[in-house]
Amino acid sequence: MKVLVADALSDAGVSLLSERFDVDVRTGLPKDELVAAIGAYDAVVVRSATTIDADVLAAADNLKVVARAGIGLDNVDIEAATARGVLVCNAPQSNIISAAEHAVALLLSLARRVPEADASLRRGEWLRSTLQGVELAGKTVGVLGLGRIGTLVAQRLMAFGVRLVAYDPYVTPERAARLGVELVPTVLGVCEAADIITIHLPKTPETTGIVSKAELQALGPGGLVVNAARGGLVDESALHAALTEGWIRGAALDVFDSEPPGDSPLLGLPNLVATPHLGASTDEAQDKAGTQVAEAVALALDGEFVPSAVNVQVGGGIPEAVKPYMPLTETLGRLLTAIAGGHGTTGDVTVEYRGRIAGEETQALNLSALRGLLTDVVHEPVTFVNAPLIASDRDLVLSTLTSEESVDFVSLVRLTAGEDAVAGTLVGPAHKPRLVQVWDFDIDTEPADHMVFFRYTDKPGVVGIIGGKLGDAGINIASMQVGRRDTGGEALVVMTVDSAIPADVLDDIASAIGASGVRAVSLV
């Protein structure tokens, strides 16, 4: 079998692949040359430079696996790969230490003005009196995101004698206390309390621009900002104003809205430390990434189960009867996290299997549930490899119940966290997913990219109000289900829509119908 290494890969990774396969190292291929060449290969290994999109995959007649030597998968079209039965995997644990250390390095460089001092000395200057920095000791550091990297950064900063506060809505106060961190409920609250913030959040519609004008102004003129997570988490226009107008003292960035950042005005500022996305750029991280993806490629081409696969439903080693339930269980996990307002991702979660599926080996389904519960709340892609580790870090305990008895369905999967619950099943020969329970309401709807749930007191006219206000906002309704317990009692409207509903529209509808609860879910 043939493997194409399309981006620079460690010697250890190439050597390991070459023991089993015919390996071609062809880095820097333009897209047209990649499209022309890809058809000859069974596997392709990339880092971040090469994009494997739908056009490349359409030409990859023999391709069985795309392996990313690193964590991020922004440059791989996972949906298109899955549609073609191509497995996609990464190296989920390869660079977390390097990324954490780089964030600390940026902070120290910023605090002590190391890049400025280096540049001035090389110009023949000796500016000891003007290049004055600040100590970390005694400062309050705000950590935005206590995932694996954020936690490593917090642990390392404790050695400098700082006070730690953090924002992470998916971490329990008990876990934060064990880390020596005080949780703060909002990002603005962290910025008001902190002298320094370091950002380690995933990039989602909710976190894009999460640090903007108000947060930067709250830090104050001595404030320092470090972002080594994802570009776009900090509003770059607001950051430019903060650095030029003295809202904060300085900033350090390893990531940008657009990469490379080109002629970004930020790069001309003396109080900005910048590096070209070097978080994973260490010998150790690259060796680990190379060997981990080489091992994953070998498993995939042998038809074995690949633990680091992100679209594992097309992988081998899983019973055929279980495979269709994996995407369903993952979707239920994401829905539970959404309707629980994030509370489903800490504490105890029960996965219940009823009917025929209860007679199968359900370990892969348990891992699928963990992926769903964690996917929308952590920085790194969640795989079978790191899901149990991330769950443990967040005090998420998964327990299972099985019963081969099922009253209404051939097979049923239910996830429960406290008073929040979702359940689903598969119907027909095409195994179409159906959502059959939300909270304790019975419904019957197909999960969709955009969904919204309204809880309210049953009364005439509510459906019309909802439909009218969505129409006024230009939101098209794809489907609607109403569930209730009793006439005049609590009721639930479940809707699928063609696009995300703006928060102000949701608030307006909730006010108009007297909703006791609203949850919007985006599965894209």
Side-chain angles (χ1 to χ4, degrees):
M1 290 187 176
K2 297 189 68 176
V3 177
L4 172 63
V5 176
D7 289 330
L9 189 68
S10 69
D11 291 343
V14 174
S15 176
L16 194 57
L17 285 169
S18 299
E19 292 176 5
R20 293 277 316 276
F21 309 109
D22 181 4
V23 178
D24 290 336
V25 179
R26 302 176 63 184
T27 61
L29 288 175
K31 182 175 178 178
D32 58 342
E33 293 184 25
L34 179 62
V35 168
I38 195 70
Y41 294 96
D42 299 279
V44 59
V45 179
V46 299
R47 288 182 60 194
S48 57
T50 298
T51 297
I52 305 297
D53 59 15
D55 296 334
V56 175
L57 289 162
D61 294 334
N62 295 313
L63 198 66
K64 300 170 184 65
V65 57
V66 176
R68 163 72 162 94
I71 292 179
L73 287 160
D74 298 342
N75 57 322
V76 179
D77 189 331
I78 297 172
E79 183 177 352
T82 303
R84 294 183 63 85
V86 176
L87 186 141
V88 179
C89 60
N90 64 351
Q93 301 297 310
S94 59
N95 69 4
I96 58 173
I97 292 175
S98 294
E101 290 182 354
H102 192 62
V104 175
L106 286 172
L107 175 54
L108 291 170
S109 296
L110 178 62
R112 296 307 301 268
R113 302 175 68 176
V114 171
E116 280 185 274
D118 177 81
S120 72
L121 189 61
R122 292 174 189 275
R123 291 193 300 266
E125 301 167 346
W126 189 258
L127 304 177
R128 292 184 63 195
S129 60
T130 57
L131 289 170
Q132 185 167 304
V134 294
E135 292 183 350
L136 297 189
K139 299 294 190 298
T140 297
V141 178
V143 182
L144 305 185
L146 283 175
R148 295 186 63 76
I149 295 174
T151 295
L152 290 174
V153 170
Q155 291 169 337
R156 281 150 178 75
L157 289 178
M158 288 185 72
F160 288 91
V162 304
R163 170 178 172 250
L164 291 167
V165 298
Y167 165 81
D168 192 320
Y170 308 106
V171 168
T172 63
E174 293 79 13
R175 170 163 172 72
R178 290 199 300 271
L179 293 172
V181 179
E182 176 188 342
L183 282 181
V184 177
T186 65
V187 173
L188 182 60
V190 169
C191 293
E192 290 171 341
D195 304 296
I196 300 161
I197 61 168
T198 177
I199 304 169
H200 306 284
L201 293 165
K203 186 177 182 181
T204 68
E206 292 74 27
T207 60
T208 298
I210 198 167
V211 175
S212 192
K213 180 178 180 180
E215 289 75 21
L216 293 168
Q217 289 181 331
L219 271 172
L224 302 177
V225 175
V226 176
N227 183 15
R230 286 288 185 268
L233 298 178
V234 179
D235 183 325
E236 290 189 1
S237 296
L239 181 61
H240 186 273
L243 293 170
T244 55
E245 298 177 20
W247 304 352
I248 63 173
R249 183 185 182 98
L253 301 178
D254 187 45
V255 290
F256 299 85
D257 284 352
S258 298
E259 295 185 356
D263 57 356
S264 169
L266 288 169
L267 298 180
L269 302 180
N271 50 348
L272 177 85
V273 175
T275 52
H277 208 143
L278 296 180
S281 296
T282 63
D283 293 344
E284 294 82 1
Q286 293 311 308
D287 278 348
K288 284 184 279 190
T291 56
Q292 286 175 18
V293 295
E295 291 165 356
V297 166
L299 288 171
L301 294 184
D302 287 341
E304 299 293 334
F305 169 60
V306 182
S308 61
V310 298
N311 60 343
V312 75
Q313 61 266 30
V314 302
I318 298 171
E320 290 300 319
V322 170
K323 284 184 182 181
Y325 284 89
M326 295 178 70
L328 169 69
T329 307
E330 182 173 338
T331 296
L332 292 175
R334 295 183 68 182
L335 286 170
L336 183 64
T337 293
I339 70 163
H343 301 302
T345 58
T346 59
D348 297 327
V349 176
T350 300
V351 187
E352 185 177 353
Y353 303 103
R354 288 193 167 272
R356 191 174 297 168
I357 191 64
E360 300 289 342
E361 170 54 55
T362 59
Q363 179 61 20
L365 297 180
N366 293 341
L367 291 169
S368 295
L370 285 178
R371 284 185 62 188
L373 290 163
L374 296 164
T375 287
D376 297 317
V377 299
V378 298
H379 174 68
E380 65 264 42
V382 183
T383 70
F384 275 15
V385 171
N386 63 1
L389 297 172
I390 297 171
S392 177
D393 285 347
R394 291 175 174 266
D395 293 334
L396 170 57
V397 178
L398 200 71
S399 57
T400 60
L401 294 174
T402 59
S403 172
E404 295 191 20
E405 295 182 3
S406 179
V407 176
D408 298 313
F409 305 98
V410 174
S411 292
L412 179 79
V413 180
R414 178 185 290 113
L415 272 66
T416 305
E419 296 182 354
D420 300 302
V422 292
T425 190
L426 301 176
V427 297
H431 302 300
K432 289 187 176 181
R434 306 296 294 184
L435 184 60
V436 298
Q437 179 190 343
V438 175
W439 289 298
D440 54 353
F441 294 95
D442 292 332
I443 60 170
D444 182 10
T445 192
E446 186 172 354
D449 288 345
H450 302 287
M451 307 182 71
V452 63
F453 305 88
F454 295 100
R455 296 177 75 166
Y456 64 98
T457 301
D458 184 34
K459 58 186 176 182
V462 168
V463 171
I465 292 172
I466 296 173
K469 289 188 176 292
L470 289 178
D472 292 342
I475 305 294
N476 189 54
I477 300 170
S479 68
M480 177 185 291
Q481 280 266 313
V482 178
R484 66 181 186 182
R485 300 187 187 94
D486 301 297
T487 303
E490 190 176 27
L492 173 72
V493 166
V494 180
M495 306 177 67
T496 64
V497 291
D498 291 344
S499 56
I501 304 175
D504 60 335
V505 175
L506 285 173
D507 292 342
D508 184 35
I509 294 172
S511 176
I513 67 173
S516 59
V518 180
R519 290 288 186 270
V521 182
S522 179
L523 299 179
V524 291

